[in-house]
Amino acid sequence: MTIVIENPLTESAHVESKVQAVPKELQLDEGFVVPDANAFGHTFRDYDVESERQKTVEEFYRVNHIYQTYDYVKKLREDYEKLNKREMSIWEGIELLNEFIDDSDPDLDMPQIEHLLQTAEAIRKDYPNEDWLHLTGLIHDLGKVLLHPDFGGLPQWSVVGDTFPVGCAYDESNVHFKYFKGNPDYSNPKYNTKLGVYSEGCGLNNVYMSFGHDDYMYLVAKENKCALPSAALFIIRYHSFYPLHKHGAYKYLMNEEDRENLKWLHIFNKYDLYSKSNIKIDVEEVKPYYLSLIKKYFPEKLKW
């Protein structure tokens, strides 16, 4: 029997602004050249290559897959959607990320501010007129402030890494799928069927995702009433949902709005993934431009 989730994650009154169609000029074959290798000389998102970095990444996913249960996700989301941890500006959040390196990332071991700027600047070069997309590139990982003590100092397995739906069967396209067998939901008949607690076409808005920086930053942006379009919020919320946007898994949970916004996510993903390198961006040089975008789309101070 299919069960529809009783409490949608966000009420219809908060549904994001109308989905934008992808302009013809926004295609995947623009000027950005995909590099042959990551900062370590390996293929991007290669989770099997033998290296010290790979060992760290695999251990991360082992723990992540065991402990990200449906009940755990609901509990954390209920806590963090209160947005009562701190008040600060977007740029203050960016500066906080200087302290952290993402243990789930096999492609980069530099502070997060470097990745944000690399992503934003690569998008800016190809699409100079889409300033909302530049800003989305800059802020998409800001939810990683969850690692900071002021935000609870959550462990990395609860903040970073690929995301996946909880409350239904895990798809085998998930990285290091084998470790899900240690998750109690894996053998729970309530959660281990294709649809689990959801219904087909219910919309990703009604699906609980593994808790982390994506969903948190989405909440921060939406509840602080930013002026970014619906597509930007979708990118922020699902940019780590690789089983969907890389492998096409879980599409049976999507609705029409999701399908339209997924087009934007496919555009964004190339820059998020392949702009990672050891080449640093001059922060002071680009800072005035991004401060102007922040002022355009966000209030001066946000609740986090």
Side-chain angles (χ1 to χ4, degrees):
M1 176 180 178
T2 299
I3 304 175
V4 180
I5 187 169
E6 297 179 356
N7 298 310
L9 300 187
T10 53
E11 298 177 0
S12 57
H14 295 300
V15 172
E16 298 90 312
S17 58
K18 186 177 180 181
V19 179
Q20 296 187 357
V22 181
K24 291 181 180 179
E25 68 269 25
L26 288 185
Q27 303 296 331
L28 289 173
D29 57 354
E30 293 294 334
F32 182 75
V33 178
V34 175
D36 294 329
N38 63 19
F40 302 102
H42 303 140
T43 304
F44 282 89
R45 286 183 59 84
D46 188 339
Y47 292 91
D48 298 316
V49 64
E50 289 294 331
S51 68
E52 287 303 313
R53 183 67 179 164
Q54 187 276 336
K55 293 177 183 177
T56 298
V57 172
E58 181 165 355
E59 175 58 18
F60 163 86
Y61 277 106
R62 184 188 70 83
V63 180
N64 170 274
H65 289 354
I66 291 173
Y67 293 111
Q68 286 269 8
T69 65
Y70 182 76
D71 289 342
Y72 175 82
V73 168
K74 286 190 66 176
K75 180 178 182 298
L76 261 68
R77 204 178 196 283
E78 289 168 2
D79 179 20
Y80 280 92
E81 67 185 1
K82 297 172 185 175
L83 300 181
N84 60 1
K85 306 303 180 187
R86 182 169 170 175
E87 288 195 13
M88 65 179 182
S89 68
I90 289 289
W91 196 264
E92 287 174 311
I94 291 171
E95 291 179 334
L96 277 183
L97 292 188
N98 260 335
E99 304 176 24
F100 303 109
I101 293 173
D102 187 338
D103 282 348
S104 73
D105 192 342
D107 299 320
L108 193 67
D109 62 353
M110 296 174 68
Q112 287 298 294
I113 190 171
E114 301 295 338
H115 170 53
L116 298 182
L117 289 170
Q118 288 169 354
T119 304
E121 284 295 282
I123 295 171
R124 182 182 176 189
K125 182 179 179 181
D126 279 0
Y127 307 126
N129 298 322
E130 304 295 333
D131 66 355
W132 68 269
L133 197 56
H134 311 165
L135 184 57
T136 302
L138 183 72
I139 69 171
H140 73 282
D141 274 348
L142 276 192
K144 292 178 182 179
V145 295
L146 290 169
L147 297 166
H148 194 278
D150 286 0
F151 296 83
L154 293 180
Q156 292 233 1
W157 61 262
S158 191
V159 178
V160 299
D162 290 5
T163 57
F164 50 87
V166 295
C168 61
Y170 306 115
D171 190 88
E172 292 189 9
S173 64
N174 283 288
V175 171
H176 292 302
F177 171 82
K178 60 187 177 183
Y179 293 121
F180 282 117
K181 295 177 181 179
N183 187 310
D185 291 355
Y186 182 85
S187 56
N188 187 330
K190 183 178 179 181
Y191 304 132
N192 67 4
T193 61
K194 177 181 176 179
L195 292 174
V197 299
Y198 309 112
S199 60
E200 189 159 355
C202 64
L204 296 180
N205 197 49
N206 292 311
V207 174
Y208 281 96
M209 300 293 294
S210 54
F211 189 79
H213 71 280
D214 304 58
D215 203 35
Y216 180 59
M217 189 58 207
Y218 160 77
L219 287 170
V220 170
K222 182 176 73 71
E223 296 303 331
N224 282 280
K225 303 191 184 308
C226 77
L228 288 171
S230 169
L233 297 181
F234 188 90
I235 288 169
I236 292 168
R237 194 176 192 183
Y238 300 111
H239 68 271
S240 299
F241 191 6
Y242 276 86
L244 171 66
H245 63 72
K246 182 179 180 180
H247 301 287
Y250 301 105
K251 284 188 174 181
Y252 44 83
L253 297 173
M254 297 171 66
N255 59 22
E256 187 56 35
E257 182 178 12
D258 297 328
R259 284 186 283 273
E260 287 299 315
N261 278 329
L262 184 60
K263 298 173 185 177
W264 285 102
L265 181 51
H266 281 144
I267 289 169
F268 174 84
N269 177 249
K270 180 176 71 169
Y271 299 93
D272 182 21
L273 177 58
Y274 296 116
S275 66
K276 297 173 184 177
S277 74
N278 287 323
I279 300 174
K280 292 188 176 183
I281 303 293
D282 186 332
V283 178
E284 293 308 312
E285 180 181 339
V286 301
K287 183 176 178 180
Y289 173 69
Y290 289 105
L291 286 177
S292 72
L293 296 189
I294 292 169
K295 184 177 181 179
K296 177 179 179 180
Y297 288 102
F298 280 93
E300 183 177 353
K301 293 286 185 178
L302 289 76
K303 293 181 179 180
W304 298 72

